Amino acid sequence: MNASRPPPPDRASPRCQVAGTGAWLPERILTNADLEKLVETSDEWIVSRTGIRERRIADEGVHTSTMGAKAATRALERAGIPAREVDAILCATITPDMPFPCTACLIQREIGADRAFCFDLEAACTGFIYGLEIGRRLIESNAYKTILVVASEKLSSVTDWKDRNTCVLFGDGAGAVVVGPTTEEEAAAGRGILSTHLFTDGSLANALLIPGGGSKEPFSADVLEKRRHLVHMTGQDVFKAAVRYLAASARAALDANHVTPAELDWVVAHQANMRILQALSQRVEIPMERFVVNIHKYGNTSSASIPIVLDEALGEGKIKPGQTVLMCALGAGISWGSALIRW
Ligand code: UT7
């Protein structure tokens, strides 16, 4: 492990750091055995093809904003920053409480961050990395001091519980980080958000989507009957893209910072499929022991998965100050990206 490594000599000191993290998961557990009663599937198939054993499901009165507000409050507590000091709330989600206003506004109301301007961003499972990039740039502009990046998903509300291809994959939950300027000590030690790389390939937009319920196919009896308001996925196309592009975005992060795979302490990647994580591990030559994994407990929580697994790794004392953490994600769009942080 590489604690307290100095910054690469040819790079400026990082100006932005994650000041606190938080997560919130609903208590209700849906196991693979429960799913066996809903669709023609088996615990053996789900575990061997995905690594998922159970996922959390939010109760009816718990919305994306409810979960996001709880994760945000925890992140602010960890950062020691009162809600009224938050300059902006960005909420990454594909399951907003409603088409508008944005879920970030509802989180603001819930946590009392009344000085903050608020907006949602929609980059599916890559949403948290996109949010981190925007948060980082807002801080680096010197115009703002505290940005709350929240990622919250109630995927159970858009899951087709009759489709075994997709219903076994998803779960509900939220994560959040507070992004702020580096302290003098952090900057001198080269600690902070070192890079973010974002990518999109719209030609693969049809591989993973909710086709109905938007302006193209407004909600109607026909949309409802054909279940077009729910998630549709061509799993193998997304799988192949994930392996290829996650590896490429990981290399982009490492190359940009002159960090070798051997120097990396942790990989905090989107938790979509254990086999994708294993393929990534092989392609970038980073052993699985350095991947933080919780897919077996929560399934795929889309944009929320990285801040949830990050918060868990920090809570367990895995990630220590001075260590280098690679994040990468891929999702609908398709969109993908990576971030490198020295903690
Ligand atoms: O988070 C955003 C990014 N999302 C992802 O990265 C997801 C990427 N895709 C995947 O993770 C995988 O493609 C899946 C887990 C979705 C599917 O795994 P797969 O190995 O690609 O399976 P498949 O779709 O090729 O299906 C293989 C077989 C099919 O049966 P036949 O046609 O060979 O007879 C499916 O009908 O497995 C069948 N199958 C199932 N069987 C039992 C599909 N789902 C199930 C199921 N239980 N739940």
Side-chain angles (χ1 to χ4, degrees), residues 23 30 37 47 71 79 122 135-136 175 224 247 263 306 312 320 327 337:
L30 186 73
K37 292 174 204 144
V47 173
E122 203 271 70
R136 171 191 176 204
L224 184 66
E263 289 174 316
I306 288 184
E312 197 167 281
K320 298 183 177 60
M327 296 174 181

Side-chain angles (χ1 to χ4, degrees), residues 29-39 41 54-55:
I29 294 173
L30 186 73
T31 65
N32 290 349
D34 296 328
L35 282 164
E36 285 174 358
K37 292 174 204 144
L38 280 183
V39 287
T41 190
E54 56 189 43
R55 66 289 291 144

Side-chain angles (χ1 to χ4, degrees), residues 90-115:
L90 286 56
C91 181
T93 187
I94 49 169
T95 50
D97 283 20
M98 55 192 93
F100 69 85
C102 66
T103 301
C105 295
L106 308 173
I107 293 173
Q108 184 219 40
R109 184 175 65 184
E110 188 76 20
I111 68 174
D114 47 15
R115 278 188 53 249

Side-chain angles (χ1 to χ4, degrees), residues 26-334:
E27 276 180 19
R28 184 146 63 103
I29 294 173
L30 186 73
T31 65
N32 290 349
D34 296 328
L35 282 164
E36 285 174 358
K37 292 174 204 144
L38 280 183
V39 287
E40 201 184 323
T41 190
S42 66
D43 176 58
E44 194 280 327
W45 191 97
I46 302 170
V47 173
S48 64
R49 305 309 290 170
T50 71
I52 302 167
R53 293 184 181 276
E54 56 189 43
R55 66 289 291 144
R56 300 298 176 94
I57 303 293
D59 288 334
E60 220 167 86
V62 175
H63 317 298
T64 296
S65 64
T66 325
M67 296 187 284
K70 288 179 191 291
T73 299
R74 288 181 181 175
L76 286 168
E77 279 167 10
R78 297 258 169 72
I81 294 175
R84 66 179 177 282
E85 284 181 21
V86 175
D87 294 309
I89 303 174
L90 286 56
C91 181
T93 187
I94 49 169
T95 50
D97 283 20
M98 55 192 93
F100 69 85
C102 66
T103 301
C105 295
L106 308 173
I107 293 173
Q108 184 219 40
R109 184 175 65 184
E110 188 76 20
I111 68 174
D114 47 15
R115 278 188 53 249
F117 66 89
C118 303
F119 61 98
D120 286 3
L121 70 101
E122 203 271 70
C125 303
T126 324
F128 176 73
I129 304 279
Y130 276 56
L132 201 61
E133 160 79 346
I134 297 167
R136 171 191 176 204
R137 300 300 180 189
L138 288 172
I139 295 296
E140 289 179 351
S141 74
N142 286 328
Y144 307 102
K145 290 265 175 283
T146 305
I147 309 295
L148 192 50
V149 179
V150 185
S152 183
E153 303 287 5
K154 190 172 177 179
L155 290 171
S156 59
S157 67
V158 292
T159 297
D160 186 343
W161 294 105
K162 290 186 174 170
D163 176 14
R164 71 173 183 173
N165 292 293
T166 53
C167 76
V168 300
L169 304 173
F170 304 117
D172 299 336
V177 299
V178 177
V179 179
T182 44
T183 61
E184 271 182 33
E185 191 193 0
E186 284 170 337
R191 290 169 53 199
I193 300 177
L194 305 183
S195 67
T196 35
H197 288 85
L198 307 181
F199 308 91
T200 303
D201 180 358
S203 71
L204 290 171
N206 288 343
L208 177 52
L209 73 170
I210 294 178
S215 59
K216 186 178 175 194
E217 291 182 39
F219 202 78
S220 65
D222 192 49
V223 165
L224 184 66
E225 195 199 330
K226 293 183 176 143
R227 309 178 80 74
R228 291 177 67 77
H229 58 302
L230 303 172
V231 173
H232 292 238
M233 178 166 73
T234 314
Q236 285 195 5
D237 289 352
V238 182
F239 189 100
K240 283 182 209 149
V243 172
R244 192 156 130 225
Y245 293 136
L246 286 175
S249 71
R251 280 195 208 98
L254 296 177
D255 291 351
N257 294 285
H258 312 293
V259 171
T260 65
E263 289 174 316
L264 200 62
D265 294 294
W266 295 107
V267 181
V268 179
H270 172 46
Q271 309 283 300
N273 187 321
M274 191 64 184
R275 289 187 295 134
I276 293 176
L277 298 178
Q278 287 161 342
L280 177 64
S281 157
Q282 279 178 3
R283 284 204 176 201
V284 291
E285 298 180 344
I286 301 168
M288 274 311 288
E289 300 82 71
R290 282 193 258 149
F291 280 63
V292 190
V293 177
N294 66 4
I295 190 170
H296 51 290
K297 291 191 290 187
Y298 305 135
N300 180 347
T301 55
S302 191
S303 66
S305 90
I306 288 184
I308 290 173
V309 74
L310 174 68
D311 184 66
E312 197 167 281
L314 286 161
E316 290 170 358
K318 282 184 177 159
I319 299 173
K320 298 183 177 60
Q323 290 193 327
T324 308
V325 179
L326 170 72
M327 296 174 181
C328 49
L330 176 137
I334 60 170

